[in-house]
Amino acid sequence: MNSKQSRAFVWIWLKNQSDPVVAGLLERDNGTLSFNYGRSYLARKDAVSIYEPELPLKEGKIPLLPRMEMPSCIRDGSPDAWGRRVIINQETGKKNEEITLTELDELSYLLLSGSDRIGNLDFQESPTDYVPRNPKAATLEELQQASELVQKGIPLTKELDQALNHGSSIGGARPKASIEAENKKYIAKFSGSTDTYSVVKAEYIAMRLAQEVGINVAPVELTSAQHKDVLLIERFDRTRGDDGNWYRKAMVSSLTIFGMPETEARYASYEDLAEKIRHQFTDPRDSLHELYRRMVFNILVGNTDDHARNHAAFWDGSQLTMTPAYDICPQNRTGQEASQAMNIHGANKLSQLGNCLAASKAFQLSEDAAKEIMRSQVATIIAQYPTLCQEANLTEVDQSFFWRRQFLNPFCFYDLPEEFAQSLTEGL
């Protein structure tokens, strides 16, 4: 591909359609990327906006939102850290320590990443011929081997290059790929070559605990490849039709919903997301309570990587609906004090339940109702943690390592009223 590519055609899967159509053109525009819909797309009776608040259905070049360098709803379809590392490895052969994620521009990342990306968009050089970038099916063993080579900075063989490219459109910082098995699509997350503890099993346990506490979460399975753990997360942006075809669901991240550029993601707030839910989401009251449960749970299991692209919603052309939770991964923690990636109450993002109590009104919850959510989650985590550790075949060393460090770290409870904190921690 020409590294100085100046444009990309945006293809979209519409509802109940197994084949994509051209929606419009993304092109360079004085240092930014601007978008305009194609006339043929605007003429369709079933045309929907990619995301109405940002790219409404209208003719001509659509102005970017303030401080944006490209439409955020299109940026949602671009690979993040891991996918970019894979692409740079493929294009330049650079070693791990030589790679910078700004090596290529956004158009290059869109056009070089795999077509089975998150959501319902893809990017092509042609407005007439859709050519999916879906390499040959790869085994978990091939993908595990390829991911280890990329991390070590060793250029891939042609076969492994094709195997790992199958997942280069999937975002995030850890090795992963998109796979298909038994009429389901999964994101496979691999053990890293530098892992000092079982990161994959920690995420498995957290995701299963989320299910146990009543959070709507993506189903997960634990398997292995080359004697290393692999987490399989069932994709919720794909459905398999009775005709055997795959259908795609449109999704946007919370960062897109906020209308924020990447450089301002640190200002994202749970309370602001709650405000968006009240006005733009289906089932707003239930969605508010669901988001509150997720916020509390992230704190309790040490998932501090809860940034605005790790919250998302389905888009149907007029309304948003919260997706299942995903990427609930306890982060390595040596001490106690920690902060969430998004603000919890005002500008405070400390990983403490008292912060959540202070924010409860924004989620249409009374203080008593908020406390009951906390009681229920803490009790469930205490009761289910040993069972799920056994289910994951976690070693006693790792089980002890996670407990009261990532899972139920004492810092969670420090800012609560003393009597309530004592009632929560009685079983610890």
Side-chain angles (χ1 to χ4, degrees):
M1 192 194 81
N2 183 352
S3 61
K4 296 182 179 180
Q5 195 81 10
S6 62
R7 65 183 188 176
F9 290 92
V10 181
W11 291 64
I12 187 171
W13 278 258
L14 296 171
K15 186 177 180 180
N16 299 324
Q17 299 294 316
S18 59
D19 295 314
V21 297
V22 175
L25 178 66
L26 183 71
E27 60 183 340
R28 296 190 192 281
D29 182 19
N30 294 322
T32 62
L33 295 177
S34 63
F35 177 82
N36 65 274
Y37 288 103
R39 290 181 181 177
S40 61
Y41 185 74
L42 291 173
R44 295 180 64 101
K45 292 183 179 179
D46 59 350
V48 296
S49 65
I50 295 176
Y51 180 54
E52 182 74 21
E54 187 174 31
L55 295 180
L57 284 174
K58 65 179 184 180
E59 292 185 354
K61 183 173 67 176
I62 300 173
L64 291 170
L65 296 180
R67 304 179 304 284
M68 292 287 192
E69 295 183 354
M70 69 180 293
S72 184
C73 58
I74 290 179
R75 174 63 176 78
D76 282 338
S78 184
D80 283 342
W82 173 251
R84 292 177 186 231
R85 297 182 69 83
V86 173
I87 290 170
I88 293 168
N89 177 275
Q90 293 166 347
E91 292 298 300
T92 69
K94 286 194 172 183
K95 294 183 178 180
N96 192 45
E97 63 272 10
E98 297 174 330
I99 289 176
T100 61
L101 297 184
T102 57
E103 196 91 22
L104 303 174
D105 62 6
E106 288 297 334
L107 274 179
S108 297
Y109 285 124
L110 292 174
L111 288 166
L112 289 168
S113 49
S115 292
D116 198 15
R117 67 187 71 247
I118 299 299
N120 69 334
L121 301 180
D122 194 21
F123 308 92
Q124 299 276 314
E125 295 183 49
S126 170
T128 56
D129 299 316
Y130 180 75
V131 182
R133 296 177 297 280
N134 293 330
K136 71 177 182 70
T139 66
L140 287 173
E141 285 74 15
E142 287 177 312
L143 293 168
Q144 177 70 55
Q145 182 183 356
S147 70
E148 291 176 2
L149 290 176
V150 170
Q151 290 182 95
K152 294 175 182 177
I154 300 173
L156 301 180
T157 65
K158 182 178 179 181
E159 291 75 18
L160 289 179
D161 181 36
Q162 288 179 330
L164 196 57
N165 185 51
H166 194 57
S168 66
S169 58
I170 304 299
R174 291 188 58 78
K176 63 187 71 172
S178 178
I179 66 171
E180 182 179 338
E182 299 178 350
N183 292 324
K184 292 182 180 180
K185 283 185 179 285
Y186 298 93
I187 293 172
K189 291 189 174 182
F190 302 97
S191 300
S193 59
T194 59
D195 289 350
T196 57
Y197 64 94
S198 185
V199 178
V200 167
K201 286 183 176 179
E203 183 169 357
Y204 173 81
I205 292 167
M207 294 283 281
R208 287 284 288 109
L209 281 171
Q211 183 182 34
E212 293 293 327
V213 304
I215 290 171
N216 177 22
V217 63
V220 293
E221 299 175 28
L222 195 61
T223 185
S224 63
Q226 294 191 343
H227 309 292
K228 293 190 177 182
D229 299 319
V230 180
L231 179 67
L232 299 180
I233 306 165
E234 188 173 340
R235 292 183 65 168
F236 46 75
D237 63 332
R238 298 289 188 270
T239 57
R240 187 74 178 263
D242 294 337
D243 56 6
N245 291 319
W246 286 102
Y247 296 85
R248 305 193 182 198
K249 294 183 178 181
M251 282 174 51
V252 292
S253 69
S254 292
L255 195 62
T256 293
I257 295 169
F258 288 140
M260 284 181 169
E262 299 286 331
T263 55
E264 297 178 14
R266 64 187 180 279
Y267 301 118
S269 160
Y270 276 104
E271 289 179 316
D272 289 343
L273 183 53
E275 179 71 17
K276 296 290 186 182
I277 287 173
R278 283 195 291 273
H279 297 291
Q280 295 176 241
F281 278 55
T282 59
D283 302 316
R285 184 176 177 83
D286 288 346
S287 297
L288 285 170
H289 295 175
E290 171 73 6
L291 179 61
Y292 192 81
R293 286 192 292 271
R294 295 181 188 188
M295 179 175 69
V296 169
F297 186 77
N298 283 334
I299 290 173
L300 292 176
V301 301
N303 175 34
T304 55
D305 192 36
D306 54 341
H307 57 79
R309 287 209 189 273
N310 275 345
H311 299 274
F314 297 120
W315 168 250
D316 67 3
S318 60
Q319 285 185 301
L320 296 162
T321 300
M322 189 178 292
T323 72
Y326 57 96
D327 276 356
I328 304 177
C329 185
Q331 303 297 303
N332 192 18
R333 195 162 168 175
T334 55
Q336 293 195 1
E337 184 170 329
S339 296
Q340 300 304 117
M342 296 210 309
N343 293 327
I344 298 169
H345 179 56
N348 192 333
K349 57 179 65 182
L350 287 177
S351 306
Q352 296 185 306
L353 296 182
N355 257 341
C356 298
L357 274 183
S360 59
K361 288 184 179 179
F363 299 83
Q364 295 183 0
L365 285 166
S366 66
E367 184 174 308
D368 286 344
K371 286 181 175 179
E372 183 53 38
I373 288 173
M374 295 174 189
R375 285 193 192 95
S376 176
Q377 289 197 8
V378 171
T380 300
I381 292 170
I382 292 172
Q384 294 298 321
Y385 180 76
T387 301
L388 292 175
C389 287
Q390 186 176 12
E391 183 176 294
N393 198 25
L394 191 69
T395 66
E396 290 186 11
V397 171
D398 274 346
Q399 185 171 341
S400 297
F401 176 77
F402 294 143
W403 190 243
R404 306 307 308 279
R405 183 178 279 106
Q406 283 91 337
F407 294 88
L408 301 186
N409 191 294
F411 186 70
C412 300
F413 309 103
Y414 283 168
D415 66 338
L416 289 172
E418 184 177 355
E419 184 176 347
F420 179 51
Q422 288 177 349
S423 72
L424 287 180
T425 56
E426 281 178 355
L428 293 174

